[in-house]
Amino acid sequence: MKAPNWLEGTAVAAELRPTSFHARSGDDGVDLPVERSADGRITAESAASILTAVKNLVGGKSWLSRVKITCAIGSRGLILRPLTIPAAPSAEVPRLLQLQIESEFPLPPEALAWGWIPLPTASTPGRQDVLVAAVKKEVVEELTALFKPIAADLVITPATLARVALVPADAPAFAIVDVAPTQCELTLREIEAAPSVRLLPWGENRLDDVTAAPFEGINRLVELLPMAALKLPLWISGSATAASKVAQLLQPGREGNLPPVRALEVPTGPGRTAAIEGIIRSQSANEA
């Protein structure tokens, strides 16, 4: 017999960004700054703050102390690659993928934490297309150690894929620009192609350039965007202020037959990011 949802533990959707941490459980959310050491790892003080914040977030909700956490991570160091393998049962897919990872990825499988999802693209008979996401194992080990005291189940997912859930299902091709303080994360989905991601050295702090020299800041972002992104339906995410402003500034350069640049619809408030909203929406769809 399947246990009622309230017996299965409290669910937390989270996102770890380069300089901040965000989490949401039900209607409650939290936003925290994150400090990192010279090697890029989260400092002990920030790790303790994150753990305390998540404990407080679910305090009183989970009397079994079993917390399910799905945490989105950024694309720095992320390998996102479509692969074609022989058609096989799901249980056989990891073994087949490991063989390809050994031959095609820059690091061996034992140095990576990786997962895969099926792709809806048409493949040749007897073959299947999948999308593999991989990061250095140290990234996952750091988060696993961080949440070990409270996590009964920890799922780590690329934020770039989580945001895709917010794009209307009838959009076969699109681009998403997620604006962070010092960089952007571009997700590109072209027709009959797997999603791809890249980091752009332009951030929300460059919006201040618009005051000093009209459109100078946004023009630099346009220069960094590939032509494919400029010709596709384009969504912007990030802080509510940044997403709205970037969408407004990018619109004048759009060709007349393209849909307007739009900000992804994300609720406002603590713990509300596009990646977190995408996680929640995907989980709701899977449970429906």
Side-chain angles (χ1 to χ4, degrees):
M1 182 177 69
K2 181 175 175 60
N5 288 339
W6 58 271
L7 281 178
E8 295 181 346
T10 299
V12 174
E15 180 181 9
L16 178 63
R17 298 169 76 93
T19 60
S20 61
F21 174 79
H22 312 267
R24 179 178 167 191
S25 179
D27 293 330
D28 299 323
V30 64
D31 302 313
L32 292 174
V34 170
E35 297 291 336
R36 295 180 182 268
S37 57
D39 63 0
R41 296 179 68 85
I42 302 170
T43 63
E45 293 79 5
S46 279
S49 296
I50 290 171
L51 188 60
T52 298
V54 175
K55 284 181 177 179
N56 292 337
L57 192 62
V58 300
K61 297 178 183 176
S62 180
W63 55 272
L64 292 177
S65 298
R66 297 178 65 246
V67 181
K68 295 183 177 181
I69 301 175
T70 302
C71 186
I73 59 173
S75 63
R76 185 171 298 279
L78 173 70
I79 303 171
L80 200 62
R81 187 172 300 179
L83 295 175
T84 300
I85 58 175
S90 294
E92 286 292 309
V93 170
R95 181 184 63 83
L96 296 172
L97 288 176
Q98 184 164 342
L99 296 174
Q100 289 215 30
I101 290 172
E102 288 176 348
S103 62
E104 297 187 27
F105 280 45
L107 293 172
E110 58 269 20
L112 297 169
W114 57 276
W116 63 278
I117 56 173
L119 286 173
T121 52
S123 187
T124 55
R127 311 285 287 178
Q128 58 182 325
D129 297 327
V130 301
L131 182 66
V132 175
V135 294
K136 286 185 177 180
K137 190 170 289 184
E138 290 86 346
V139 175
V140 172
E141 289 174 343
E142 181 181 30
L143 288 177
T144 301
L146 171 62
F147 291 119
K148 184 177 180 180
I150 58 172
D153 185 21
L154 174 63
V155 176
I156 297 174
T157 187
T160 184
L161 297 183
R163 297 184 197 107
V164 168
L166 301 185
V167 176
D170 60 355
F174 55 84
I176 302 172
V177 176
D178 183 74
V179 182
T182 61
Q183 66 183 25
C184 286
E185 197 169 279
L186 169 67
T187 305
L188 193 62
R189 177 68 182 268
E190 298 183 76
I191 293 177
E192 296 187 355
S196 62
V197 61
R198 68 179 71 177
L199 289 174
L200 305 177
W202 189 96
E204 184 175 354
N205 56 1
R206 295 293 298 274
L207 286 172
D208 294 337
D209 294 346
V210 180
T211 303
F215 295 102
E216 178 183 335
I218 204 68
N219 283 345
R220 176 57 181 154
L221 175 58
V222 173
E223 292 172 359
L224 292 169
L225 288 171
M227 187 59 65
L230 296 173
K231 292 183 176 181
L232 291 173
L234 183 58
W235 276 269
I236 312 296
S237 62
S239 70
T241 300
S244 176
K245 193 167 187 178
V246 170
Q248 182 181 11
L249 289 171
L250 284 176
Q251 184 55 43
R254 300 283 279 178
E255 297 178 6
N257 60 338
L258 287 174
V261 182
R262 289 168 285 184
L264 285 176
E265 294 185 6
V266 179
T268 58
R272 272 68 173 173
T273 70
I276 288 175
E277 186 66 16
I279 289 170
I280 293 171
R281 191 169 299 184
S282 295
Q283 290 176 341
S284 298
N286 291 337
E287 293 172 0

